[in-house]
Amino acid sequence: QMIFQNISLSARAGDIIGITGKNGAGKSTFCNCLCGLLKPKGGEILYQGKKLSEKARTKLFGMVMQEVNHQLFSDSVKNECLLANEEASEQEIRELLEKFDLEEYAEYHPMILSGGQRQRLAICQAVMGEKKLLIFDEPTRGIDVGAKNEIYKLMNQLAAEGKAIIMISSEMTEILRMSDRIVVMCEGKKTGELDISEATQENIMNMATREIE
């Protein structure tokens, strides 16, 4: 079964690219292929002009999943960071946890944390793993307004530090607030791409319901 096809997308350091569309449009499957979690049946994924293998994509691209519990495996917050980078020093881990406001929870089991804290830990893992592209799949679903704003702040900070970010979201206000560019998908196809300066809820919805032959 073809989940998506004929999608072209580019990202530069510092970009925040929003991907949106109705449920079942193929957004998450496309991004799982990007970061090496699924194998596409065709096409090329390039980094700095060079074609990447699945292994290389896994190393360079990081996914923060919608169900973040599915990517937390260790018995402590600190050890989650070590899973991402076994060579990280105690000081590096401490400084990064402090940056993500998680330092006091270093010895806690991840499942004790709040939803927003677990989300920040998953982002922390990706940064510790030195990923160049971070993919956020519905990053604020199920967390409160305060935690949402913390995630938005971190995403903007990471983009300012030179990370390329792709954010999958079905929440229109989030897409319009956070994105520099917006890619719209419908039934596995890219139906439009908008600069944030020309994006409105109306034209995004029109693209999200428009089929391309």
Side-chain angles (χ1 to χ4, degrees), residues 1 10 13 22 24 34 46 51-52 54 61 71 80 86 93 108 111 122 135 150 156 161 163-164 187 208:
Q1 181 184 2
S10 64
K22 295 189 297 182
L34 272 184
L46 309 177
K51 185 176 178 179
L52 295 178
E54 288 178 61
F61 304 160
Q71 64 187 111
E80 287 290 350
E86 295 179 353
I93 292 172
Y108 283 45
M111 293 303 107
I135 301 170
E150 286 297 317
N156 282 324
E161 293 171 0
K163 303 290 186 186
E187 297 188 358

Side-chain angles (χ1 to χ4, degrees), residues 61-158:
F61 304 160
M63 170 79 89
V64 179
M65 297 178 179
Q66 182 176 334
E67 298 293 338
V68 72
N69 293 348
H70 293 170
Q71 64 187 111
L72 300 175
F73 305 107
S74 194
D75 60 353
S76 73
V77 168
K78 181 176 73 175
N79 287 339
E80 287 290 350
C81 296
L82 284 172
L83 279 178
N85 185 348
E86 295 179 353
E87 298 179 359
S89 68
E90 289 280 342
Q91 181 176 350
E92 287 173 326
I93 292 172
R94 185 170 61 252
E95 289 176 353
L96 195 59
L97 289 177
E98 184 176 358
K99 176 179 178 179
F100 285 82
D101 198 23
L102 292 169
E103 185 182 14
E104 65 181 287
Y105 305 105
E107 302 300 333
Y108 283 45
H109 195 287
M111 293 303 107
I112 296 176
L113 304 180
S114 70
Q117 289 167 336
R118 290 197 297 272
Q119 198 79 5
R120 295 204 304 274
L121 177 56
I123 302 169
C124 186
Q125 278 183 314
V127 174
M128 181 61 73
E130 301 179 343
K131 308 297 185 183
K132 303 299 183 184
L133 170 71
L134 302 178
I135 301 170
F136 293 79
D137 191 356
E138 301 286 356
T140 64
R141 179 169 289 179
I143 60 178
D144 63 35
V145 173
K148 280 187 179 187
N149 288 328
E150 286 297 317
I151 298 300
Y152 296 153
K153 180 180 176 181
L154 284 171
M155 290 173 67
N156 282 324
Q157 185 176 348
L158 291 168

Side-chain angles (χ1 to χ4, degrees), residues 40-56:
K41 292 185 179 296
E44 293 183 332
I45 299 171
L46 309 177
Y47 177 70
Q48 295 182 343
K50 296 180 180 179
K51 185 176 178 179
L52 295 178
S53 65
E54 288 178 61
K55 183 177 180 180

